[in-house]
Amino acid sequence: MKLFRIINFTFLFSLFLVSEVYSAVYNATTSANTYKITITRIELCETGSTTASCSSPVAIYDEGDSGLIDIASTTAGATAASLGNLNKAIIGTTYTYMQVTMKRATTISGGGSALSTSGQACYTDGTAGTSAKGALGSVTSTDEADTVVYMGVPGSSGGSDNTNSTTAGDGTGTNSSTGAFDSGDDYMEWRGALANTFVLKAGRIPTAKLAFGFSEALGFYNTNTTTNDCDTRAAGAGNFAHGFYAGEPSVTVTLID
């Protein structure tokens, strides 16, 4: 029986402070009209865990690709997906954090004025990004379409220590340094403190609530406004980070026993 419920999707994003952490010439964010994520693993972390590390993790969901979960179209308070089983936790053990592994590839749509540079609009137009390159777009709003955009600025480092990229989605991957998104890594790990300390009790059927948001879910990172814009990326590996990126999700997790 699957007892873990992902509900209350109001989807809130704490984006990378890329304008401060990274050396972007221009960076802007906007809301997303579509936002679909794929979860591959969910773990509870014992006392002693931090934003940077998950201590003695126990997997409550390890069944692989969840399929796309469309957060932006989910009514607040409604169930967006049902994943995992909290009864896999160890009875009597105290858990203080959760670690979620997901694909960096996000299906997203959106855009707006003054997004790719200070005076130019830019919209997702179906031109996909990769784990090593940002996604380019279109200056025409009617071209807006669902687009594969990757979480994190490719090749970046120095971001929040509660995230890192990784090479596999099942817990066996090689992780980047915390706050880094290595080019070529297709998955990421996110860690967050539980809103309430959780201890599984015998005979109880626990549930979980995750709250999200997407008002600033889509970003555009521009390394050089002279040679790069919405639909143009200058040659050279140093410009691969240029383009659309998806922000790091900030999630409020409440476990009810």
Side-chain angles (χ1 to χ4, degrees), residues 15-238:
L15 291 176
F16 304 114
L17 299 177
V18 292
S19 58
E20 298 176 11
V21 176
Y22 310 128
S23 300
V25 172
Y26 184 81
N27 179 70
T29 59
T30 188
S31 61
N33 297 317
T34 301
Y35 204 100
K36 301 176 182 179
I37 63 173
T38 303
I39 292 172
T40 60
R41 188 175 178 86
I42 302 172
E43 297 165 294
L44 290 178
C45 312
E46 292 186 14
T47 300
S49 298
T50 67
T51 53
S53 65
C54 179
S55 178
S56 302
V58 58
I60 59 174
Y61 175 75
D62 57 359
E63 299 175 28
D65 193 328
S66 67
L68 289 173
I69 302 171
D70 191 353
I71 295 165
S73 67
T74 303
T75 302
T79 299
S82 298
L83 297 173
N85 185 347
L86 277 172
N87 284 335
K88 290 184 178 180
I90 300 171
I91 293 176
T93 298
T94 301
Y95 297 97
T96 56
Y97 274 77
M98 178 175 283
Q99 180 167 269
V100 180
T101 305
M102 64 189 83
K103 288 185 177 180
R104 285 180 62 197
T106 303
T107 299
I108 194 168
S109 69
S113 60
L115 191 62
S116 59
T117 70
S118 58
Q120 184 187 60
C122 194
Y123 300 86
T124 58
D125 67 350
T127 303
T130 71
S131 57
K133 292 184 180 181
L136 298 180
S138 170
V139 298
T140 305
S141 62
T142 54
D143 289 341
E144 183 180 326
D146 283 0
T147 302
V148 174
V149 174
Y150 277 67
M151 290 187 182
V153 177
S156 62
S157 61
S160 302
D161 69 359
N162 70 319
T163 60
N164 57 265
S165 65
T166 187
T167 58
D170 60 359
T172 64
T174 299
N175 296 344
S176 69
S177 300
T178 56
F181 285 83
D182 292 348
S183 295
D185 285 359
D186 288 327
Y187 299 87
M188 64 167 282
E189 293 177 337
W190 170 91
R191 288 167 296 279
L194 302 178
N196 56 313
T197 297
F198 176 71
V199 179
L200 181 64
K201 299 175 182 177
R204 298 289 184 91
I205 301 178
T207 60
K209 296 181 179 180
L210 278 68
F212 301 87
F214 55 93
S215 62
E216 293 184 306
L218 180 64
F220 197 99
Y221 182 84
N222 195 336
T223 55
N224 187 335
T225 57
T226 301
T227 55
N228 297 322
D229 59 17
C230 177
D231 57 4
T232 302
R233 179 188 294 115

